Amino acid sequence: MAQILDGKLVAKQITNNVIEFVEILKKKGVTPKLVLIRVGDKSDDIAYEKMITKKCNEIGAICETIQFTFTPTMEKMALTVSKYNHDDNVHGIM
């Protein structure tokens, strides 16, 4: 027999688990930080960014957006990613 999965309930449980984990990290002096790198200002990208920023705020993580209003060169993008990749206070880059 099939079991119905309540996606909203599962998502809420996952969020609560992550909140607890973030609190443990903060007690150890680590606040998770995500850096979002966005190129341009497409409304879909901005909506996705807002959703991620809202979720980071909800769980207690830091979210920083780096926005390029122009299409950067590969070198500029590589330097930007490398900069945050070597930053010990950054734990994820999108």
Coordinates of all heavy atoms in Angstrom, one line a residue:
M1 N 0.8 -1.2 0.0 CA 0.0 0.0 0.0 C 0.9 1.2 0.0 O 1.9 1.3 0.7 CB -0.9 0.0 1.2 CG -1.9 1.1 1.3 SD -3.0 0.8 2.6 CE -4.0 2.2 2.6
A2 N 0.5 2.2 -0.8 CA 1.3 3.5 -0.9 C 1.1 4.3 0.3 O 0.1 4.3 0.9 CB 0.9 4.2 -2.2
Q3 N 2.2 5.1 0.6 CA 2.1 6.0 1.7 C 2.2 7.4 1.2 O 3.1 7.7 0.3 CB 3.3 5.7 2.7 CG 3.3 6.6 3.9 CD 4.4 6.3 4.9 OE1 5.3 5.6 4.5 NE2 4.4 6.9 6.0
I4 N 1.4 8.3 1.6 CA 1.4 9.7 1.2 C 2.4 10.4 2.0 O 2.4 10.4 3.2 CB 0.0 10.3 1.3 CG1 -1.0 9.6 0.4 CG2 0.0 11.8 1.0 CD1 -2.4 10.1 0.6
L5 N 3.2 11.2 1.3 CA 4.3 11.9 1.9 C 3.9 13.4 2.0 O 3.5 14.0 0.9 CB 5.6 11.8 1.2 CG 6.8 12.5 1.7 CD1 7.2 12.0 3.0 CD2 8.0 12.4 0.7
D6 N 3.9 14.0 3.1 CA 3.6 15.4 3.3 C 4.9 16.2 3.1 O 5.7 16.3 4.1 CB 2.9 15.7 4.7 CG 2.5 17.1 4.9 OD1 2.9 18.0 4.1 OD2 1.7 17.3 5.8
G7 N 5.1 16.8 1.9 CA 6.3 17.5 1.6 C 6.5 18.7 2.5 O 7.7 19.0 2.9
K8 N 5.5 19.4 2.8 CA 5.7 20.6 3.7 C 6.1 20.2 5.1 O 7.0 20.9 5.7 CB 4.3 21.4 3.8 CG 4.0 22.2 2.5 CD 2.8 23.0 2.7 CE 2.5 23.7 1.4 NZ 1.3 24.6 1.5
L9 N 5.6 19.1 5.6 CA 6.0 18.6 6.9 C 7.4 18.2 6.9 O 8.2 18.5 7.8 CB 5.1 17.5 7.4 CG 5.4 16.9 8.7 CD1 5.3 17.9 9.8 CD2 4.5 15.7 9.0
V10 N 7.8 17.4 5.9 CA 9.2 17.0 5.8 C 10.2 18.2 5.6 O 11.2 18.2 6.3 CB 9.4 16.0 4.6 CG1 10.8 15.7 4.3 CG2 8.6 14.7 4.8
A11 N 9.8 19.2 4.8 CA 10.6 20.3 4.7 C 10.8 21.1 6.0 O 11.9 21.5 6.3 CB 10.0 21.3 3.6
K12 N 9.7 21.2 6.8 CA 9.8 21.9 8.1 C 10.7 21.1 9.0 O 11.4 21.7 9.8 CB 8.3 22.0 8.6 CG 8.3 22.8 9.9 CD 8.7 24.2 9.7 CE 8.6 25.0 11.0 NZ 9.2 26.2 11.0
Q13 N 10.6 19.8 9.0 CA 11.4 19.0 9.9 C 12.9 19.1 9.5 O 13.8 19.2 10.4 CB 11.0 17.5 9.8 CG 9.7 17.2 10.5 CD 9.2 15.8 10.2 OE1 9.6 15.1 9.3 NE2 8.3 15.3 11.1
I14 N 13.2 19.1 8.2 CA 14.6 19.3 7.7 C 15.1 20.7 8.2 O 16.2 20.9 8.7 CB 14.7 19.2 6.2 CG1 14.5 17.7 5.9 CG2 16.0 19.7 5.7 CD1 14.3 17.4 4.4
T15 N 14.2 21.7 8.0 CA 14.6 23.1 8.4 C 14.9 23.2 9.9 O 15.9 23.7 10.3 CB 13.5 24.1 8.0 OG1 13.3 24.1 6.6 CG2 13.8 25.5 8.5
N16 N 14.0 22.5 10.7 CA 14.3 22.5 12.2 C 15.6 21.8 12.5 O 16.3 22.3 13.4 CB 13.1 21.8 12.9 CG 11.8 22.7 12.9 OD1 11.9 23.9 12.7 ND2 10.7 22.1 13.0
N17 N 15.9 20.7 11.8 CA 17.2 20.0 12.1 C 18.4 20.9 11.7 O 19.4 21.0 12.4 CB 17.2 18.7 11.3 CG 16.3 17.7 11.8 OD1 15.8 17.7 12.9 ND2 16.0 16.7 11.0
V18 N 18.2 21.6 10.6 CA 19.3 22.5 10.2 C 19.5 23.7 11.2 O 20.6 24.1 11.5 CB 19.1 23.1 8.8 CG1 20.1 24.1 8.4 CG2 19.1 21.9 7.8
I19 N 18.3 24.2 11.7 CA 18.4 25.3 12.7 C 19.1 24.8 13.9 O 20.0 25.5 14.5 CB 17.0 25.8 13.1 CG1 16.4 26.6 11.9 CG2 17.0 26.6 14.3 CD1 14.9 26.9 12.1
E20 N 18.9 23.6 14.4 CA 19.6 23.0 15.5 C 21.0 22.9 15.3 O 21.9 23.2 16.1 CB 19.0 21.7 15.9 CG 17.6 21.8 16.5 CD 17.0 20.4 16.8 OE1 17.8 19.4 16.9 OE2 15.8 20.3 17.0
F21 N 21.4 22.4 14.1 CA 22.8 22.3 13.7 C 23.5 23.6 13.6 O 24.6 23.7 14.1 CB 22.9 21.5 12.4 CG 24.3 21.2 11.9 CD1 25.1 20.3 12.7 CD2 24.9 21.8 10.8 CE1 26.4 20.0 12.3 CE2 26.2 21.5 10.5 CZ 26.9 20.6 11.2
V22 N 22.9 24.6 13.1 CA 23.4 26.0 13.0 C 23.7 26.5 14.4 O 24.7 27.1 14.7 CB 22.6 26.9 12.2 CG1 23.0 28.4 12.4 CG2 22.6 26.5 10.7
E23 N 22.7 26.3 15.3 CA 22.9 26.7 16.7 C 24.1 26.0 17.4 O 24.9 26.7 18.1 CB 21.6 26.4 17.5 CG 20.5 27.3 17.2 CD 19.2 27.0 17.8 OE1 19.1 26.0 18.6 OE2 18.2 27.6 17.5
I24 N 24.3 24.8 17.1 CA 25.5 24.1 17.6 C 26.8 24.7 17.1 O 27.7 24.9 17.8 CB 25.4 22.5 17.3 CG1 24.3 21.9 18.1 CG2 26.8 21.9 17.5 CD1 23.9 20.5 17.6
L25 N 26.8 24.9 15.8 CA 28.0 25.6 15.1 C 28.2 26.9 15.8 O 29.4 27.3 16.0 CB 27.8 25.7 13.6 CG 27.8 24.4 12.8 CD1 27.5 24.7 11.4 CD2 29.2 23.8 12.9
K26 N 27.2 27.7 16.0 CA 27.4 29.1 16.5 C 28.0 29.0 17.9 O 28.8 29.9 18.3 CB 26.0 29.8 16.5 CG 25.6 30.3 15.1 CD 24.4 31.1 15.2 CE 24.1 31.8 13.9 NZ 22.9 32.7 14.0
K27 N 27.6 28.0 18.7 CA 28.1 27.8 20.0 C 29.6 27.5 20.0 O 30.4 27.8 20.9 CB 27.4 26.7 20.8 CG 26.0 27.2 21.2 CD 25.3 26.0 22.0 CE 23.9 26.5 22.3 NZ 23.1 25.4 22.9
K28 N 30.1 27.0 18.8 CA 31.5 26.7 18.6 C 32.2 27.9 17.9 O 33.3 27.7 17.5 CB 31.6 25.4 17.8 CG 31.1 24.2 18.5 CD 31.3 23.0 17.6 CE 30.8 21.7 18.4 NZ 31.0 20.5 17.6
G29 N 31.5 29.0 17.7 CA 32.1 30.2 17.1 C 32.0 30.2 15.6 O 32.7 31.0 15.0
V30 N 31.2 29.3 15.0 CA 31.1 29.3 13.5 C 29.7 29.6 13.1 O 28.7 29.0 13.5 CB 31.4 27.9 13.0 CG1 31.3 27.8 11.5 CG2 32.8 27.5 13.4
T31 N 29.6 30.7 12.3 CA 28.3 31.0 11.7 C 28.3 30.7 10.3 O 29.2 31.3 9.5 CB 28.0 32.5 11.9 OG1 27.9 32.8 13.3 CG2 26.6 32.9 11.3
P32 N 27.5 29.8 9.8 CA 27.6 29.4 8.4 C 27.3 30.6 7.5 O 26.4 31.4 7.8 CB 26.4 28.3 8.3 CG 26.2 27.8 9.6 CD 26.5 29.0 10.5
K33 N 28.1 30.6 6.4 CA 27.9 31.8 5.5 C 27.9 31.2 4.0 O 28.7 30.4 3.6 CB 29.1 32.8 5.6 CG 29.0 33.9 4.7 CD 30.1 34.9 4.9 CE 30.0 36.1 4.0 NZ 31.0 37.1 4.3
L34 N 26.9 31.7 3.3 CA 26.7 31.4 1.9 C 26.9 32.7 1.1 O 26.4 33.7 1.4 CB 25.3 30.8 1.6 CG 25.0 30.6 0.2 CD1 25.8 29.5 -0.4 CD2 23.5 30.3 0.1
V35 N 27.7 32.6 0.0 CA 27.9 33.7 -0.9 C 27.2 33.3 -2.2 O 27.5 32.3 -2.8 CB 29.4 34.0 -1.1 CG1 29.6 35.0 -2.2 CG2 30.1 34.5 0.1
L36 N 26.3 34.2 -2.7 CA 25.6 34.0 -3.9 C 26.3 34.9 -4.9 O 26.4 36.1 -4.7 CB 24.2 34.3 -3.8 CG 23.3 33.6 -2.8 CD1 21.9 34.2 -2.7 CD2 23.3 32.1 -3.2
I37 N 26.7 34.4 -6.1 CA 27.2 35.3 -7.2 C 26.2 35.3 -8.3 O 25.8 34.3 -8.8 CB 28.6 34.7 -7.7 CG1 29.6 34.6 -6.5 CG2 29.1 35.6 -8.8 CD1 30.9 34.0 -6.9
R38 N 25.6 36.5 -8.5 CA 24.6 36.6 -9.5 C 25.1 37.6 -10.6 O 25.6 38.6 -10.4 CB 23.3 37.2 -8.9 CG 22.2 37.4 -9.9 CD 20.9 37.6 -9.3 NE 20.8 38.7 -8.3 CZ 20.7 40.0 -8.6 NH1 20.6 40.4 -9.8 NH2 20.6 40.8 -7.5
V39 N 24.8 37.1 -11.9 CA 25.2 37.9 -13.0 C 23.9 38.5 -13.7 O 23.0 37.7 -14.0 CB 26.0 37.1 -14.1 CG1 26.3 38.0 -15.3 CG2 27.3 36.6 -13.5
G40 N 23.8 39.8 -13.8 CA 22.6 40.4 -14.4 C 21.5 40.6 -13.4 O 21.7 40.4 -12.2
D41 N 20.3 40.9 -14.0 CA 19.2 41.1 -13.1 C 17.9 40.5 -13.6 O 16.8 41.1 -13.6 CB 19.0 42.7 -12.9 CG 18.8 43.4 -14.2 OD1 18.8 42.8 -15.3 OD2 18.6 44.6 -14.1
K42 N 18.0 39.3 -14.0 CA 16.8 38.6 -14.5 C 15.9 38.3 -13.3 O 16.3 37.9 -12.2 CB 17.1 37.2 -15.1 CG 17.8 37.4 -16.5 CD 18.2 36.1 -17.2 CE 17.6 34.8 -16.7 NZ 18.2 33.6 -17.3
S43 N 14.6 38.5 -13.5 CA 13.6 38.4 -12.4 C 13.6 37.0 -11.8 O 13.5 36.9 -10.5 CB 12.2 38.8 -12.8 OG 11.8 38.0 -13.9
D44 N 13.8 36.0 -12.6 CA 13.8 34.6 -12.0 C 15.0 34.4 -11.1 O 14.9 33.8 -10.0 CB 13.9 33.6 -13.1 CG 12.6 33.5 -14.0 OD1 11.6 34.1 -13.5 OD2 12.6 32.8 -15.0
D45 N 16.2 35.0 -11.5 CA 17.4 34.9 -10.7 C 17.2 35.6 -9.3 O 17.6 35.2 -8.3 CB 18.6 35.4 -11.4 CG 18.9 34.5 -12.6 OD1 18.5 33.4 -12.7 OD2 19.7 35.1 -13.5
I46 N 16.6 36.8 -9.4 CA 16.4 37.6 -8.2 C 15.4 36.9 -7.3 O 15.6 36.9 -6.1 CB 15.9 39.0 -8.6 CG1 17.0 39.8 -9.4 CG2 15.5 39.8 -7.4 CD1 16.6 41.1 -10.0
A47 N 14.4 36.3 -7.8 CA 13.4 35.6 -7.0 C 14.1 34.4 -6.3 O 13.9 34.2 -5.1 CB 12.2 35.1 -7.8
Y48 N 14.9 33.7 -7.0 CA 15.7 32.6 -6.4 C 16.6 33.1 -5.3 O 16.7 32.5 -4.3 CB 16.4 31.8 -7.5 CG 17.1 30.6 -7.1 CD1 16.3 29.5 -6.6 CD2 18.5 30.4 -7.2 CE1 16.9 28.3 -6.3 CE2 19.1 29.2 -6.9 CZ 18.3 28.2 -6.4 OH 18.9 27.0 -6.0
E49 N 17.3 34.2 -5.6 CA 18.2 34.8 -4.6 C 17.4 35.1 -3.3 O 17.9 34.9 -2.2 CB 18.9 36.0 -5.2 CG 19.7 36.8 -4.3 CD 20.2 38.1 -4.9 OE1 20.4 38.1 -6.1 OE2 20.3 39.0 -4.1
K50 N 16.3 35.8 -3.5 CA 15.5 36.2 -2.3 C 15.0 35.0 -1.5 O 15.0 35.0 -0.3 CB 14.3 37.0 -2.8 CG 14.6 38.4 -3.2 CD 13.4 39.2 -3.7 CE 13.7 40.6 -4.1 NZ 12.6 41.3 -4.5
M51 N 14.6 33.9 -2.2 CA 14.2 32.7 -1.5 C 15.4 32.1 -0.7 O 15.2 31.7 0.5 CB 13.7 31.6 -2.6 CG 13.3 30.3 -2.0 SD 12.8 29.1 -3.2 CE 14.4 28.8 -3.9
I52 N 16.5 32.1 -1.3 CA 17.7 31.5 -0.6 C 18.1 32.4 0.6 O 18.4 31.9 1.7 CB 18.9 31.4 -1.5 CG1 18.6 30.3 -2.6 CG2 20.2 31.1 -0.8 CD1 19.6 30.2 -3.7
T53 N 18.1 33.7 0.4 CA 18.4 34.7 1.4 C 17.4 34.5 2.6 O 17.8 34.5 3.8 CB 18.4 36.1 0.9 OG1 19.4 36.2 -0.1 CG2 18.7 37.1 2.0
K54 N 16.1 34.4 2.3 CA 15.1 34.2 3.3 C 15.3 33.0 4.1 O 15.2 32.9 5.3 CB 13.7 34.2 2.7 CG 12.6 34.1 3.6 CD 11.2 34.1 2.9 CE 10.1 33.8 3.9 NZ 8.8 33.8 3.2
K55 N 15.7 31.9 3.4 CA 15.9 30.6 4.1 C 17.2 30.7 5.0 O 17.2 30.2 6.1 CB 16.0 29.4 3.1 CG 16.1 28.1 3.7 CD 15.0 27.7 4.6 CE 13.8 27.3 3.9 NZ 12.7 26.8 4.8
C56 N 18.2 31.3 4.5 CA 19.4 31.5 5.3 C 19.1 32.3 6.6 O 19.5 31.9 7.7 CB 20.5 32.2 4.5 SG 21.4 31.2 3.3
N57 N 18.3 33.4 6.4 CA 17.9 34.1 7.6 C 17.1 33.3 8.6 O 17.3 33.4 9.8 CB 17.1 35.4 7.2 CG 17.9 36.4 6.5 OD1 19.1 36.5 6.7 ND2 17.3 37.2 5.6
E58 N 16.2 32.4 8.0 CA 15.4 31.6 8.9 C 16.2 30.6 9.7 O 15.9 30.4 10.9 CB 14.4 30.8 8.0 CG 13.5 29.9 8.7 CD 12.6 29.1 7.8 OE1 12.4 29.4 6.6 OE2 11.9 28.1 8.3
I59 N 17.3 30.1 9.1 CA 18.1 29.1 9.8 C 19.2 29.7 10.7 O 19.9 29.0 11.4 CB 18.6 28.0 8.9 CG1 19.6 28.6 7.9 CG2 17.5 27.3 8.2 CD1 20.5 27.6 7.1
G60 N 19.4 31.0 10.5 CA 20.5 31.7 11.2 C 21.8 31.7 10.6 O 22.8 32.0 11.2
A61 N 21.8 31.5 9.2 CA 23.1 31.6 8.5 C 23.2 33.0 7.8 O 22.2 33.7 7.7 CB 23.1 30.5 7.4
I62 N 24.4 33.3 7.4 CA 24.7 34.6 6.8 C 24.6 34.3 5.3 O 25.1 33.3 4.8 CB 26.1 35.1 7.1 CG1 26.1 35.4 8.6 CG2 26.4 36.4 6.3 CD1 27.6 35.7 9.1
C63 N 24.0 35.2 4.5 CA 23.9 35.1 3.1 C 24.4 36.5 2.5 O 23.8 37.5 2.8 CB 22.5 34.8 2.6 SG 22.4 34.5 0.9
E64 N 25.4 36.4 1.7 CA 25.9 37.6 1.0 C 25.8 37.4 -0.5 O 26.1 36.4 -1.0 CB 27.4 37.8 1.4 CG 28.0 39.0 0.7 CD 29.5 39.1 1.1 OE1 30.0 38.5 2.1 OE2 30.2 39.8 0.4
T65 N 25.3 38.5 -1.2 CA 25.2 38.4 -2.6 C 26.2 39.3 -3.3 O 26.4 40.5 -2.9 CB 23.8 38.9 -3.1 OG1 22.8 38.0 -2.5 CG2 23.6 38.9 -4.6
I66 N 26.9 38.7 -4.2 CA 27.8 39.5 -5.1 C 27.1 39.6 -6.4 O 26.8 38.6 -7.0 CB 29.2 38.8 -5.2 CG1 29.8 38.4 -3.9 CG2 30.1 39.6 -6.1 CD1 30.0 39.6 -2.9
Q67 N 26.9 40.8 -6.9 CA 26.2 41.0 -8.1 C 27.0 41.6 -9.2 O 27.7 42.7 -8.9 CB 24.9 41.8 -7.9 CG 24.1 42.0 -9.2 CD 23.0 43.0 -9.1 OE1 22.7 43.5 -8.0 NE2 22.3 43.3 -10.2
F68 N 27.1 41.0 -10.3 CA 27.7 41.6 -11.5 C 26.6 42.1 -12.4 O 25.7 41.4 -12.8 CB 28.5 40.6 -12.3 CG 29.8 40.2 -11.6 CD1 29.8 38.9 -10.9 CD2 30.9 41.0 -11.6 CE1 31.0 38.5 -10.3 CE2 32.1 40.6 -11.0 CZ 32.1 39.3 -10.3
T69 N 26.6 43.4 -12.7 CA 25.5 44.0 -13.6 C 25.9 43.8 -15.0 O 25.1 44.0 -15.9 CB 25.4 45.5 -13.3 OG1 26.6 46.1 -13.4 CG2 24.8 45.7 -11.9
F70 N 27.1 43.2 -15.3 CA 27.6 42.9 -16.6 C 28.1 41.5 -16.6 O 28.2 40.9 -15.5 CB 28.7 43.9 -17.0 CG 29.9 43.8 -16.0 CD1 30.9 42.9 -16.2 CD2 29.9 44.6 -14.8 CE1 31.9 42.8 -15.2 CE2 30.9 44.5 -13.9 CZ 31.9 43.6 -14.1
T71 N 28.3 40.9 -17.7 CA 28.8 39.6 -17.8 C 30.3 39.7 -17.6 O 31.0 40.2 -18.4 CB 28.5 38.9 -19.1 OG1 27.1 38.9 -19.3 CG2 29.1 37.5 -19.2
P72 N 30.8 39.1 -16.5 CA 32.3 39.2 -16.2 C 33.1 38.3 -17.1 O 32.6 37.3 -17.6 CB 32.4 38.8 -14.8 CG 31.2 37.9 -14.6 CD 30.1 38.4 -15.4
T73 N 34.3 38.6 -17.2 CA 35.2 37.7 -18.0 C 35.4 36.5 -17.2 O 35.1 36.4 -16.0 CB 36.6 38.4 -18.2 OG1 37.2 38.6 -16.9 CG2 36.5 39.7 -19.0
M74 N 35.9 35.4 -17.8 CA 36.1 34.2 -17.1 C 37.2 34.4 -16.0 O 37.1 33.9 -14.9 CB 36.6 33.1 -18.1 CG 35.5 32.5 -18.9 SD 34.2 31.7 -18.0 CE 35.1 30.3 -17.3
E75 N 38.2 35.3 -16.3 CA 39.2 35.6 -15.3 C 38.6 36.3 -14.1 O 38.9 35.9 -13.0 CB 40.3 36.5 -16.0 CG 41.4 36.8 -15.0 CD 42.5 37.7 -15.6 OE1 42.4 38.0 -16.8 OE2 43.4 38.1 -14.9
K76 N 37.7 37.3 -14.3 CA 37.1 38.0 -13.2 C 36.2 37.0 -12.4 O 36.3 37.1 -11.1 CB 36.3 39.2 -13.8 CG 35.5 39.9 -12.7 CD 36.4 40.7 -11.8 CE 35.6 41.5 -10.8 NZ 36.5 42.1 -9.8
M77 N 35.5 36.2 -13.0 CA 34.6 35.2 -12.3 C 35.5 34.2 -11.5 O 35.2 34.0 -10.4 CB 33.7 34.5 -13.3 CG 32.7 33.6 -12.6 SD 31.6 34.4 -11.4 CE 30.4 35.0 -12.6
A78 N 36.6 33.7 -12.1 CA 37.5 32.8 -11.4 C 38.1 33.5 -10.2 O 38.2 32.8 -9.2 CB 38.5 32.3 -12.4
L79 N 38.5 34.7 -10.4 CA 39.1 35.4 -9.2 C 38.1 35.6 -8.1 O 38.4 35.5 -6.9 CB 39.6 36.8 -9.7 CG 40.9 36.8 -10.5 CD1 41.2 38.2 -11.1 CD2 42.1 36.3 -9.7
T80 N 36.9 35.9 -8.5 CA 35.8 36.1 -7.5 C 35.5 34.9 -6.7 O 35.5 34.8 -5.5 CB 34.5 36.7 -8.1 OG1 34.8 37.9 -8.8 CG2 33.4 36.9 -7.1
V81 N 35.4 33.8 -7.5 CA 35.1 32.5 -6.8 C 36.3 32.1 -6.0 O 36.1 31.6 -4.8 CB 34.8 31.4 -7.9 CG1 34.7 30.0 -7.2 CG2 33.4 31.7 -8.6
S82 N 37.5 32.3 -6.5 CA 38.7 31.9 -5.7 C 38.8 32.7 -4.4 O 39.2 32.2 -3.4 CB 39.9 32.1 -6.6 OG 41.1 31.8 -5.9
K83 N 38.5 34.0 -4.5 CA 38.5 34.8 -3.3 C 37.7 34.3 -2.2 O 38.1 34.1 -1.0 CB 38.1 36.3 -3.6 CG 37.9 37.2 -2.4 CD 37.3 38.5 -2.9 CE 36.9 39.3 -1.6 NZ 36.2 40.6 -2.0
Y84 N 36.4 33.9 -2.5 CA 35.5 33.4 -1.5 C 35.8 31.9 -1.1 O 35.6 31.5 0.0 CB 34.1 33.6 -1.9 CG 33.7 35.0 -1.9 CD1 33.6 35.8 -3.1 CD2 33.5 35.7 -0.7 CE1 33.3 37.1 -3.1 CE2 33.2 37.1 -0.7 CZ 33.1 37.8 -1.9 OH 32.8 39.1 -1.9
N85 N 36.4 31.2 -2.1 CA 36.8 29.8 -1.8 C 37.9 29.7 -0.8 O 38.0 28.8 0.0 CB 37.2 29.1 -3.1 CG 37.3 27.7 -3.0 OD1 36.5 27.0 -2.3 ND2 38.3 27.1 -3.6
H86 N 38.7 30.8 -0.7 CA 39.8 30.8 0.2 C 39.5 31.5 1.5 O 40.3 31.7 2.4 CB 41.1 31.4 -0.4 CG 41.7 30.5 -1.5 ND1 41.3 30.6 -2.8 CD2 42.5 29.5 -1.3 CE1 42.0 29.6 -3.5 NE2 42.7 29.0 -2.6
D87 N 38.3 32.0 1.6 CA 37.8 32.7 2.8 C 37.3 31.7 3.8 O 36.3 31.0 3.6 CB 36.7 33.7 2.5 CG 36.3 34.6 3.6 OD1 36.4 34.2 4.8 OD2 35.7 35.7 3.4
D88 N 37.9 31.5 5.0 CA 37.5 30.5 6.0 C 36.2 30.8 6.6 O 35.6 29.9 7.2 CB 38.6 30.4 7.1 CG 39.9 29.8 6.6 OD1 39.9 29.1 5.6 OD2 40.9 30.1 7.3
N89 N 35.7 32.0 6.4 CA 34.3 32.4 6.9 C 33.2 32.1 6.0 O 32.0 32.3 6.3 CB 34.3 33.9 7.3 CG 35.3 34.2 8.4 OD1 35.3 33.5 9.4 ND2 36.1 35.2 8.3
V90 N 33.5 31.6 4.8 CA 32.6 31.3 3.8 C 32.5 29.7 3.7 O 33.5 29.1 3.5 CB 32.9 31.9 2.4 CG1 32.0 31.4 1.3 CG2 32.9 33.4 2.5
H91 N 31.3 29.2 3.7 CA 31.1 27.8 3.8 C 30.4 27.3 2.5 O 30.2 26.0 2.4 CB 30.3 27.4 5.0 CG 31.0 27.9 6.3 ND1 30.6 29.1 6.9 CD2 32.0 27.4 7.0 CE1 31.4 29.3 7.9 NE2 32.3 28.3 8.0
G92 N 29.9 28.1 1.7 CA 29.3 27.7 0.4 C 29.2 28.9 -0.6 O 29.1 30.0 -0.2
I93 N 29.3 28.5 -1.8 CA 29.3 29.5 -2.9 C 28.3 29.0 -4.0 O 28.4 27.8 -4.4 CB 30.7 29.7 -3.6 CG1 31.7 30.2 -2.5 CG2 30.6 30.7 -4.7 CD1 33.1 30.2 -3.1
M94 N 27.4 29.9 -4.4 CA 26.5 29.5 -5.5 C 26.6 30.6 -6.5 O 26.7 31.7 -6.2 CB 25.0 29.4 -5.0 CG 24.7 28.3 -4.1 SD 23.0 28.2 -3.6 CE 22.2 27.8 -5.2

